[in-house]
Amino acid sequence: MFATYQPGDSLLHRLPAGLKILLVCVLILAVSLSVQEAWQVVPALGLAAVLYAIGRIRPRAAWDQVRPVLPMLVAILVLQWIVADLDTALRVSGALLVAVAVAGLVALTTKVSDMLDAVTRAAQPLRHIGVSPDRVALVLVLTIRAIPLLARQLRQVTEARKARGLGMSIRALVVPTVLGALTTADQLGDALAARGVDD
């Protein structure tokens, strides 16, 4: 399952959740800004692999972090190739792959409750400008939950496309996925509104 906590005692497991979240944000930003040519994605992916080894994450669990989003990454690569060029397509999709991998590593080595506590503590100063730290934590929970939901939606669309004998069509992949995601978002919004979380 995507982003399921794997108990362990590695260095990454022992790091505070807040520090891990901060470090992964810095790493993703650094990769996004520093990758100027397609080949530079390779060292970034190598670093992600080293981090998985430090965290003592099994290869199967590591593969499960990126496998669900591969169809979307391929669609992004093709789209970027069409509107820009192959180098740009490889850089963008490669940077996204690194981001997904390292974010998945944080989820694999950190309990969700610890992440929520860290985000809630970090957001406490926002109370002074009218932002609720609890709402920020809720957004994080919904984001974490949305990733496997979107991955499942992509898988269902892909399987349906194959069953109908459709070829490799970006429209046949992206349109039903986006519509399904919007439907899920509407249902989630209605559920939150029913529980008083309506603003």
Side-chain angles (χ1 to χ4, degrees), residues 52-112:
Y52 270 87
I54 293 173
R56 300 176 189 162
I57 301 299
R58 293 176 289 105
R60 176 61 185 268
W63 170 244
D64 286 343
Q65 303 314 296
V66 298
R67 179 177 51 84
V69 298
L70 287 180
M72 183 62 76
L73 289 177
V74 170
I76 292 172
L77 187 146
V78 172
L79 181 62
Q80 287 290 320
W81 194 355
I82 292 171
V83 300
D85 54 54
L86 181 58
D87 186 74
T88 300
L90 291 173
R91 285 191 294 109
V92 171
S93 56
L96 288 173
L97 179 59
V98 172
V100 169
V102 295
L105 179 60
V106 172
L108 287 170
T109 59
T110 314
K111 295 179 181 177
V112 173

Side-chain angles (χ1 to χ4, degrees), residues 126-164:
L126 297 178
R127 285 187 183 278
H128 302 297
I129 59 173
V131 177
S132 169
D134 294 330
R135 292 291 178 90
V136 175
L138 175 62
V139 170
L140 177 61
V141 171
L142 294 178
T143 302
I144 293 171
R145 181 60 184 139
I147 294 171
L149 285 175
L150 183 58
R152 184 178 66 183
Q153 182 72 26
L154 273 170
R155 185 171 61 251
Q156 291 173 345
V157 170
T158 301
E159 291 172 354
R161 180 174 53 83
K162 290 179 180 178
R164 294 185 178 95

Side-chain angles (χ1 to χ4, degrees), residues 144-189:
I144 293 171
R145 181 60 184 139
I147 294 171
L149 285 175
L150 183 58
R152 184 178 66 183
Q153 182 72 26
L154 273 170
R155 185 171 61 251
Q156 291 173 345
V157 170
T158 301
E159 291 172 354
R161 180 174 53 83
K162 290 179 180 178
R164 294 185 178 95
L166 298 176
M168 181 57 185
S169 168
I170 295 179
R171 180 185 298 175
L173 177 67
V174 174
V175 173
T177 300
V178 171
L179 291 177
L182 292 175
T183 300
T184 301
D186 284 340
Q187 294 171 347
L188 180 59

